[in-house]
Amino acid sequence: MNNRPSILIVDDEPSNRSLARGIVSAAGWQAEEAENGEAAIAAARKHPFALVLMDIQMPGIDGFAATRAIRGGDGPNAGTPILAFTAVPPGDAIERGREAGMDGHIAKPFTPDALLAAIEPWRPSAAPSPAASLVSIFGEEEIARLLARFRGQLVEALAVDEPAAARRARAHKIAGISGTLGFAAVSRAWLAVSEGDESAWKEARIVARRAIRHIDASGARRSTPV
């Protein structure tokens, strides 16, 4: 059984893909490559990934457009973390990437240490669902319903572009329900955002994406015949 988390490396430069693939593979990731935006969209529609590294400047469909396409609809990677993987200056790349649905930025040229430091926070957890202890009280069906609603709240919070005051109000609600459902890291990070700590936003995005993937994986395990 392959327990290596999967990562999609999107770049129109073969050498960048090869170097990145070697680095992440040595660190225990299962890598797949896509040479342009169109190939990235096709790959994202076929298989779920734990993480996507998305080049920005590519011929045809660029990284921003590819990210918006992946985020659209209900494909297997609509909630997958996507990091800009680019030589575009961070200021422009981070802002436009956030608007497109990206969750971070890896600058090129990159070193092995820099690449691994950027992707490791997104490594999926194999731990049981934090809400597992509630199943004996409320039943699996009710918890599944609550988790689905919580997932929807997270997806919406990551996608919406709203004023700081509205973000803080939304973050307060997410901090509360996530704590009740057992997602302690989500609760801590979003509580900090709700209290006006803008520096906590990056961590809040990371733990939210991780929670989404955990909920999705838990659902897949429940639906798999024994």
Side-chain angles (χ1 to χ4, degrees), residues 47-220:
H47 308 292
F49 294 96
L51 182 63
V52 176
L53 304 186
M54 181 69 73
D55 190 13
I56 289 178
Q57 294 178 319
M58 297 182 287
I61 300 174
D62 68 13
F64 298 128
T67 297
R68 285 191 291 269
I70 292 171
R71 289 277 180 252
D74 58 354
N77 292 286
T80 296
I82 301 176
L83 305 182
F85 186 46
T86 179
V88 173
D92 183 49
I94 290 174
E95 180 60 25
R96 293 186 62 194
R98 185 187 63 79
E99 292 173 355
M102 292 180 174
D103 300 290
H105 175 272
I106 302 173
K108 292 189 292 190
F110 58 90
T111 65
D113 287 345
L115 178 59
L116 294 178
I119 69 173
E120 283 305 315
W122 299 100
R123 185 184 288 270
S125 169
S129 170
S133 62
L134 297 175
V135 171
S136 61
I137 301 174
F138 297 98
E140 186 171 309
E141 184 175 342
E142 176 63 12
I143 294 303
R145 186 187 68 80
L146 290 171
L147 287 175
R149 183 174 182 275
F150 175 52
R151 182 192 187 282
Q153 288 177 300
L154 293 177
V155 169
E156 183 179 357
L158 292 172
V160 70
D161 186 11
E162 57 191 352
R167 178 189 290 180
R168 289 195 296 270
R170 184 189 297 272
H172 181 76
K173 293 180 180 180
I174 289 176
I177 187 61
S178 59
T180 302
L181 289 173
F183 290 84
V186 177
S187 184
R188 287 193 298 270
W190 286 78
L191 180 60
V193 172
S194 75
E195 294 175 343
D197 183 358
E198 287 298 313
S199 67
W201 180 233
K202 180 179 179 180
E203 178 65 16
R205 293 181 71 89
I206 290 174
V207 294
R209 291 286 185 206
R210 189 176 292 157
I212 291 168
R213 299 301 292 174
H214 204 119
I215 292 168
D216 289 348
S218 297

